[in-house]
Amino acid sequence: MAHEVVRHNLPLFDEEGRSATAANREGEGEMGRSAGGEGRDRHYLPDFPEEDPYAAGHRTCAGCGPAIQYRWVLKAAGEDSVLAGPTGCMYVANSTYLCTPYTVPWAHTPIASGGSFTSGMAAGYEAMIRKGRYPGTYPNIIVMAGDGSAADIGLGSISGALYRNHDALFVCYDNECYANTGIQTSPTTPYAGMTTFTPFGKANPEGKKLPPKNLAKMMAAGHPHCYVATTTVGYPVDLMNKTRKGLNHVGAAFLHCYTPCQKGWVYQTSMTVELGRRVVEAGLFPVWEYDPQTREYRYFHPPVQRPVTDYLAMQGRFGHMLPEHIAAMQRAANQNWQDVGMDVPPDLRAGEDPAHHKRLAEETYSMPLNRGVGA
Ligand SMILES: Cc1ncc(C[n+]2csc(CCOP(=O)(O)OP(=O)(O)O)c2C)c(N)n1
Ligand code: SF4
Ligand SMILES: [Mg+2]
């Protein structure tokens, strides 16, 4: 007789009533375009669980965005979780002989096979529970792959797992480069982002010439039966709720999370979470979720809309940008604003003209003390 597969149903965190911190109230802090910035911290100050299945003591860089994301995802998932991690910083920096920061089972996979390995774990737990060989509840099965893995080398195996609809959460932690091997370009590296494979110079003054691959939209469009969402380390409750929604969804779920890499992007280490908000407020990383039931997208409309320079000028990887490159970036951001159903304010529209800009290194912007120092 087949045994029933019992699944977790994780409660969501309350996102209401978190509209302001002290520095976020009218007149008390610089909040960019919207006076007072009401709602900017809507996803902050949560009553998070105390458990930390991703414990302190790992060896990632100070301010590492992927490490922050790992911690929030695992806090949301809890102790009844099993993990896989394809090769990348979050494998290499987190595991040495007989030592990992995980308090839950974790396995390393080759960079190309995060999806297939995780499919096997999911199918194995289903089969063992059905046959009565595993007495517990179906665990939270999670793989967290870098962008080089999820958007490039391992894209096929993750797409296959989504297509077959294995009951697991597939996360791409996106630091917009192949970080672990020395900051090479990946498909999600933004236009003009400098990496060791996209240096700027006379022939290529902007560095990277191509726009980033739209990984999450591709996953939603190509696997419409899956829960798909984007989030950033700037919005912890949003990140944790989308983790839980993905885990509660019976079938495959994909989460694309923006996670700054201070080594590769060259910014002040305390600015990781700030970048996670600014990238959204600059219109460069739309935050949304796709509901496979209704087949609709729900877009987050940030209360602050910033010029792209407010984001770019914090990072050394963009320090070489010329006026025409900044204008091209503003055009891309304005297109995103329209795509998510928001108006483009006149001064952001004016920013599409190169004459509106100086070289990035000379631009004034809203946080001059935190200017990147050059990659
Ligand atoms: C098939 C294969 N090609 C190349 C490598 C070398 N390699 C190890 S880690 C890594 C970077 C992975 O980048 P990403 O997935 O974005 O993770 P990150 O290092 O940025 O955390 C690469 C290219 C490998 N391990 N396997
Ligand atoms: S190189 Fe980047 S992704 Fe890797 S540990 Fe350092 S900050 Fe994190
Ligand atoms: Mg990466």
Side-chain angles (χ1 to χ4, degrees), residues 66 87-90 92 111-112 145-150 153 173 175 177-181 184 186:
T87 318
C89 265
M90 298 307 285
V92 177
I111 194 168
D147 47 300
S149 174
I153 303 176
Y173 71 87
N175 56 12
C177 62
Y178 283 89
N180 186 243
T181 35
Q184 290 87 26
S186 88

PDB file of all heavy atoms in Angstrom, residues 66 87-90 92 111-112 145-150 153 173 175 177-181 184 186, ligand 1:
ATOM      1  N   PRO A  66      25.304  36.991  -1.729  1.00  0.00           N
ATOM      2  CA  PRO A  66      24.807  35.619  -1.721  1.00  0.00           C
ATOM      3  C   PRO A  66      24.732  35.020  -0.317  1.00  0.00           C
ATOM      4  O   PRO A  66      23.796  34.266  -0.002  1.00  0.00           O
ATOM      5  CB  PRO A  66      25.826  34.882  -2.593  1.00  0.00           C
ATOM      6  CG  PRO A  66      26.280  35.916  -3.575  1.00  0.00           C
ATOM      7  CD  PRO A  66      26.339  37.190  -2.775  1.00  0.00           C
ATOM      8  N   THR A  87      28.761  24.163  -8.061  1.00  0.00           N
ATOM      9  CA  THR A  87      30.049  24.843  -7.888  1.00  0.00           C
ATOM     10  C   THR A  87      29.899  26.343  -8.085  1.00  0.00           C
ATOM     11  O   THR A  87      29.189  26.797  -8.976  1.00  0.00           O
ATOM     12  CB  THR A  87      31.061  24.317  -8.923  1.00  0.00           C
ATOM     13  OG1 THR A  87      30.920  22.910  -9.006  1.00  0.00           O
ATOM     14  CG2 THR A  87      32.471  24.665  -8.529  1.00  0.00           C
ATOM     15  N   GLY A  88      30.599  27.096  -7.266  1.00  0.00           N
ATOM     16  CA  GLY A  88      30.547  28.554  -7.309  1.00  0.00           C
ATOM     17  C   GLY A  88      31.059  29.037  -5.961  1.00  0.00           C
ATOM     18  O   GLY A  88      31.453  28.236  -5.106  1.00  0.00           O
ATOM     19  N   CYS A  89      31.036  30.363  -5.763  1.00  0.00           N
ATOM     20  CA  CYS A  89      31.515  30.901  -4.483  1.00  0.00           C
ATOM     21  C   CYS A  89      30.838  30.241  -3.293  1.00  0.00           C
ATOM     22  O   CYS A  89      31.472  29.960  -2.285  1.00  0.00           O
ATOM     23  CB  CYS A  89      31.218  32.402  -4.409  1.00  0.00           C
ATOM     24  SG  CYS A  89      32.598  33.413  -4.913  1.00  0.00           S
ATOM     25  N   MET A  90      29.523  30.005  -3.426  1.00  0.00           N
ATOM     26  CA  MET A  90      28.789  29.547  -2.253  1.00  0.00           C
ATOM     27  C   MET A  90      29.008  28.067  -1.978  1.00  0.00           C
ATOM     28  O   MET A  90      28.553  27.554  -0.968  1.00  0.00           O
ATOM     29  CB  MET A  90      27.311  29.885  -2.397  1.00  0.00           C
ATOM     30  CG  MET A  90      27.073  31.370  -2.476  1.00  0.00           C
ATOM     31  SD  MET A  90      27.835  32.284  -1.096  1.00  0.00           S
ATOM     32  CE  MET A  90      26.719  31.890   0.218  1.00  0.00           C
ATOM     33  N   VAL A  92      32.461  26.892  -2.755  1.00  0.00           N
ATOM     34  CA  VAL A  92      33.884  26.918  -2.410  1.00  0.00           C
ATOM     35  C   VAL A  92      34.126  27.627  -1.074  1.00  0.00           C
ATOM     36  O   VAL A  92      34.854  27.128  -0.215  1.00  0.00           O
ATOM     37  CB  VAL A  92      34.689  27.575  -3.550  1.00  0.00           C
ATOM     38  CG1 VAL A  92      36.158  27.678  -3.180  1.00  0.00           C
ATOM     39  CG2 VAL A  92      34.517  26.789  -4.842  1.00  0.00           C
ATOM     40  N   ILE A 111      28.704  22.063 -11.542  1.00  0.00           N
ATOM     41  CA  ILE A 111      28.053  23.337 -11.869  1.00  0.00           C
ATOM     42  C   ILE A 111      26.908  23.161 -12.870  1.00  0.00           C
ATOM     43  O   ILE A 111      25.938  23.917 -12.859  1.00  0.00           O
ATOM     44  CB  ILE A 111      29.118  24.340 -12.397  1.00  0.00           C
ATOM     45  CG1 ILE A 111      28.587  25.771 -12.431  1.00  0.00           C
ATOM     46  CG2 ILE A 111      29.639  23.934 -13.752  1.00  0.00           C
ATOM     47  CD1 ILE A 111      29.688  26.812 -12.661  1.00  0.00           C
ATOM     48  N   ALA A 112      27.005  22.142 -13.712  1.00  0.00           N
ATOM     49  CA  ALA A 112      25.985  21.959 -14.753  1.00  0.00           C
ATOM     50  C   ALA A 112      24.794  21.145 -14.279  1.00  0.00           C
ATOM     51  O   ALA A 112      23.801  21.046 -14.999  1.00  0.00           O
ATOM     52  CB  ALA A 112      26.612  21.281 -15.970  1.00  0.00           C
ATOM     53  N   ALA A 145      21.819  28.013  -6.904  1.00  0.00           N
ATOM     54  CA  ALA A 145      22.855  28.005  -7.941  1.00  0.00           C
ATOM     55  C   ALA A 145      23.209  29.442  -8.300  1.00  0.00           C
ATOM     56  O   ALA A 145      22.339  30.317  -8.347  1.00  0.00           O
ATOM     57  CB  ALA A 145      22.342  27.280  -9.182  1.00  0.00           C
ATOM     58  N   GLY A 146      24.481  29.686  -8.588  1.00  0.00           N
ATOM     59  CA  GLY A 146      24.889  31.005  -9.051  1.00  0.00           C
ATOM     60  C   GLY A 146      24.341  31.284 -10.446  1.00  0.00           C
ATOM     61  O   GLY A 146      23.782  30.412 -11.113  1.00  0.00           O
ATOM     62  N   ASP A 147      24.531  32.528 -10.903  1.00  0.00           N
ATOM     63  CA  ASP A 147      24.053  32.891 -12.240  1.00  0.00           C
ATOM     64  C   ASP A 147      24.837  32.165 -13.324  1.00  0.00           C
ATOM     65  O   ASP A 147      24.279  31.794 -14.362  1.00  0.00           O
ATOM     66  CB  ASP A 147      24.140  34.405 -12.448  1.00  0.00           C
ATOM     67  CG  ASP A 147      25.474  34.974 -12.008  1.00  0.00           C
ATOM     68  OD1 ASP A 147      25.816  34.831 -10.814  1.00  0.00           O
ATOM     69  OD2 ASP A 147      26.194  35.541 -12.850  1.00  0.00           O
ATOM     70  N   GLY A 148      26.123  31.935 -13.089  1.00  0.00           N
ATOM     71  CA  GLY A 148      26.896  31.182 -14.081  1.00  0.00           C
ATOM     72  C   GLY A 148      26.343  29.784 -14.252  1.00  0.00           C
ATOM     73  O   GLY A 148      26.298  29.239 -15.360  1.00  0.00           O
ATOM     74  N   SER A 149      25.871  29.213 -13.156  1.00  0.00           N
ATOM     75  CA  SER A 149      25.253  27.894 -13.208  1.00  0.00           C
ATOM     76  C   SER A 149      23.820  27.995 -13.748  1.00  0.00           C
ATOM     77  O   SER A 149      23.496  27.395 -14.772  1.00  0.00           O
ATOM     78  CB  SER A 149      25.254  27.281 -11.797  1.00  0.00           C
ATOM     79  OG  SER A 149      24.548  26.077 -11.774  1.00  0.00           O
ATOM     80  N   ALA A 150      22.965  28.767 -13.084  1.00  0.00           N
ATOM     81  CA  ALA A 150      21.530  28.760 -13.408  1.00  0.00           C
ATOM     82  C   ALA A 150      21.212  29.410 -14.756  1.00  0.00           C
ATOM     83  O   ALA A 150      20.271  28.997 -15.439  1.00  0.00           O
ATOM     84  CB  ALA A 150      20.745  29.463 -12.307  1.00  0.00           C
ATOM     85  N   ILE A 153      25.799  27.656 -17.609  1.00  0.00           N
ATOM     86  CA  ILE A 153      26.298  26.286 -17.745  1.00  0.00           C
ATOM     87  C   ILE A 153      25.266  25.244 -17.307  1.00  0.00           C
ATOM     88  O   ILE A 153      25.173  24.168 -17.889  1.00  0.00           O
ATOM     89  CB  ILE A 153      27.609  26.099 -16.938  1.00  0.00           C
ATOM     90  CG1 ILE A 153      28.678  27.103 -17.392  1.00  0.00           C
ATOM     91  CG2 ILE A 153      28.134  24.681 -17.083  1.00  0.00           C
ATOM     92  CD1 ILE A 153      29.969  27.047 -16.579  1.00  0.00           C
ATOM     93  N   TYR A 173      21.056  32.555  -7.159  1.00  0.00           N
ATOM     94  CA  TYR A 173      21.628  33.714  -6.454  1.00  0.00           C
ATOM     95  C   TYR A 173      22.485  34.446  -7.482  1.00  0.00           C
ATOM     96  O   TYR A 173      23.448  33.928  -8.007  1.00  0.00           O
ATOM     97  CB  TYR A 173      22.399  33.309  -5.190  1.00  0.00           C
ATOM     98  CG  TYR A 173      23.712  32.597  -5.393  1.00  0.00           C
ATOM     99  CD1 TYR A 173      24.902  33.305  -5.558  1.00  0.00           C
ATOM    100  CD2 TYR A 173      23.781  31.213  -5.408  1.00  0.00           C
ATOM    101  CE1 TYR A 173      26.114  32.657  -5.730  1.00  0.00           C
ATOM    102  CE2 TYR A 173      24.990  30.549  -5.582  1.00  0.00           C
ATOM    103  CZ  TYR A 173      26.146  31.273  -5.747  1.00  0.00           C
ATOM    104  OH  TYR A 173      27.351  30.628  -5.925  1.00  0.00           O
ATOM    105  N   ASN A 175      24.882  37.143  -8.634  1.00  0.00           N
ATOM    106  CA  ASN A 175      25.876  38.196  -8.377  1.00  0.00           C
ATOM    107  C   ASN A 175      26.458  38.712  -9.690  1.00  0.00           C
ATOM    108  O   ASN A 175      27.516  39.329  -9.718  1.00  0.00           O
ATOM    109  CB  ASN A 175      26.969  37.729  -7.407  1.00  0.00           C
ATOM    110  CG  ASN A 175      27.653  36.482  -7.898  1.00  0.00           C
ATOM    111  OD1 ASN A 175      27.477  36.076  -9.049  1.00  0.00           O
ATOM    112  ND2 ASN A 175      28.447  35.860  -7.048  1.00  0.00           N
ATOM    113  N   CYS A 177      28.010  37.698 -12.207  1.00  0.00           N
ATOM    114  CA  CYS A 177      29.341  37.333 -12.729  1.00  0.00           C
ATOM    115  C   CYS A 177      29.682  35.918 -12.282  1.00  0.00           C
ATOM    116  O   CYS A 177      29.057  35.374 -11.382  1.00  0.00           O
ATOM    117  CB  CYS A 177      30.415  38.299 -12.226  1.00  0.00           C
ATOM    118  SG  CYS A 177      30.622  38.330 -10.437  1.00  0.00           S
ATOM    119  N   TYR A 178      30.665  35.353 -12.933  1.00  0.00           N
ATOM    120  CA  TYR A 178      31.306  34.140 -12.432  1.00  0.00           C
ATOM    121  C   TYR A 178      32.296  34.617 -11.385  1.00  0.00           C
ATOM    122  O   TYR A 178      33.442  34.945 -11.707  1.00  0.00           O
ATOM    123  CB  TYR A 178      32.031  33.419 -13.565  1.00  0.00           C
ATOM    124  CG  TYR A 178      31.161  32.641 -14.522  1.00  0.00           C
ATOM    125  CD1 TYR A 178      30.617  33.231 -15.657  1.00  0.00           C
ATOM    126  CD2 TYR A 178      30.900  31.294 -14.292  1.00  0.00           C
ATOM    127  CE1 TYR A 178      29.835  32.507 -16.543  1.00  0.00           C
ATOM    128  CE2 TYR A 178      30.115  30.549 -15.180  1.00  0.00           C
ATOM    129  CZ  TYR A 178      29.592  31.162 -16.294  1.00  0.00           C
ATOM    130  OH  TYR A 178      28.821  30.449 -17.170  1.00  0.00           O
ATOM    131  N   ALA A 179      31.884  34.672 -10.141  1.00  0.00           N
ATOM    132  CA  ALA A 179      32.721  35.301  -9.113  1.00  0.00           C
ATOM    133  C   ALA A 179      33.873  34.407  -8.688  1.00  0.00           C
ATOM    134  O   ALA A 179      35.009  34.860  -8.548  1.00  0.00           O
ATOM    135  CB  ALA A 179      31.864  35.670  -7.908  1.00  0.00           C
ATOM    136  N   ASN A 180      33.561  33.133  -8.495  1.00  0.00           N
ATOM    137  CA  ASN A 180      34.537  32.262  -7.846  1.00  0.00           C
ATOM    138  C   ASN A 180      35.812  32.076  -8.644  1.00  0.00           C
ATOM    139  O   ASN A 180      36.879  31.829  -8.084  1.00  0.00           O
ATOM    140  CB  ASN A 180      33.889  30.913  -7.547  1.00  0.00           C
ATOM    141  CG  ASN A 180      34.801  30.029  -6.750  1.00  0.00           C
ATOM    142  OD1 ASN A 180      35.208  28.975  -7.196  1.00  0.00           O
ATOM    143  ND2 ASN A 180      35.156  30.478  -5.567  1.00  0.00           N
ATOM    144  N   THR A 181      35.707  32.185  -9.958  1.00  0.00           N
ATOM    145  CA  THR A 181      36.897  31.987 -10.785  1.00  0.00           C
ATOM    146  C   THR A 181      37.577  33.313 -11.135  1.00  0.00           C
ATOM    147  O   THR A 181      38.445  33.353 -12.005  1.00  0.00           O
ATOM    148  CB  THR A 181      36.520  31.216 -12.061  1.00  0.00           C
ATOM    149  OG1 THR A 181      35.216  31.626 -12.473  1.00  0.00           O
ATOM    150  CG2 THR A 181      36.530  29.725 -11.810  1.00  0.00           C
ATOM    151  N   GLN A 184      34.441  36.754 -13.982  1.00  0.00           N
ATOM    152  CA  GLN A 184      34.241  36.768 -15.437  1.00  0.00           C
ATOM    153  C   GLN A 184      32.783  37.123 -15.749  1.00  0.00           C
ATOM    154  O   GLN A 184      31.894  36.958 -14.915  1.00  0.00           O
ATOM    155  CB  GLN A 184      34.571  35.392 -16.050  1.00  0.00           C
ATOM    156  CG  GLN A 184      36.038  35.050 -16.039  1.00  0.00           C
ATOM    157  CD  GLN A 184      36.466  34.392 -14.730  1.00  0.00           C
ATOM    158  OE1 GLN A 184      35.652  33.771 -14.054  1.00  0.00           O
ATOM    159  NE2 GLN A 184      37.727  34.541 -14.381  1.00  0.00           N
ATOM    160  N   SER A 186      29.029  36.875 -17.052  1.00  0.00           N
ATOM    161  CA  SER A 186      28.018  35.816 -17.178  1.00  0.00           C
ATOM    162  C   SER A 186      26.860  36.417 -17.983  1.00  0.00           C
ATOM    163  O   SER A 186      26.864  37.617 -18.270  1.00  0.00           O
ATOM    164  CB  SER A 186      27.524  35.367 -15.796  1.00  0.00           C
ATOM    165  OG  SER A 186      26.439  36.159 -15.381  1.00  0.00           O
TER     166      SER A 186
HETATM  167  C1  LIG B   1      31.864  22.670 -16.253  1.00  0.00           C
HETATM  168  C2  LIG B   1      32.645  23.633 -15.437  1.00  0.00           C
HETATM  169  N1  LIG B   1      33.143  24.737 -16.025  1.00  0.00           N
HETATM  170  C3  LIG B   1      33.826  25.633 -15.304  1.00  0.00           C
HETATM  171  C4  LIG B   1      34.035  25.432 -13.957  1.00  0.00           C
HETATM  172  C5  LIG B   1      34.859  26.402 -13.169  1.00  0.00           C
HETATM  173  N2  LIG B   1      34.069  27.172 -12.222  1.00  0.00           N
HETATM  174  C6  LIG B   1      34.032  26.882 -10.911  1.00  0.00           C
HETATM  175  S1  LIG B   1      33.167  27.966 -10.005  1.00  0.00           S
HETATM  176  C7  LIG B   1      32.818  28.882 -11.382  1.00  0.00           C
HETATM  177  C8  LIG B   1      32.034  30.158 -11.249  1.00  0.00           C
HETATM  178  C9  LIG B   1      30.583  29.924 -11.107  1.00  0.00           C
HETATM  179  O1  LIG B   1      29.879  31.125 -11.246  1.00  0.00           O
HETATM  180  P1  LIG B   1      28.448  31.265 -10.618  1.00  0.00           P
HETATM  181  O2  LIG B   1      27.638  30.081 -10.899  1.00  0.00           O
HETATM  182  O3  LIG B   1      27.894  32.568 -11.040  1.00  0.00           O
HETATM  183  O4  LIG B   1      28.731  31.279  -9.048  1.00  0.00           O
HETATM  184  P2  LIG B   1      29.616  32.367  -8.242  1.00  0.00           P
HETATM  185  O5  LIG B   1      31.027  31.909  -8.315  1.00  0.00           O
HETATM  186  O6  LIG B   1      29.405  33.675  -8.884  1.00  0.00           O
HETATM  187  O7  LIG B   1      29.105  32.307  -6.854  1.00  0.00           O
HETATM  188  C10 LIG B   1      33.382  28.316 -12.530  1.00  0.00           C
HETATM  189  C11 LIG B   1      33.301  28.863 -13.899  1.00  0.00           C
HETATM  190  C12 LIG B   1      33.494  24.263 -13.376  1.00  0.00           C
HETATM  191  N3  LIG B   1      33.628  24.013 -12.061  1.00  0.00           N
HETATM  192  N4  LIG B   1      32.804  23.388 -14.127  1.00  0.00           N
END
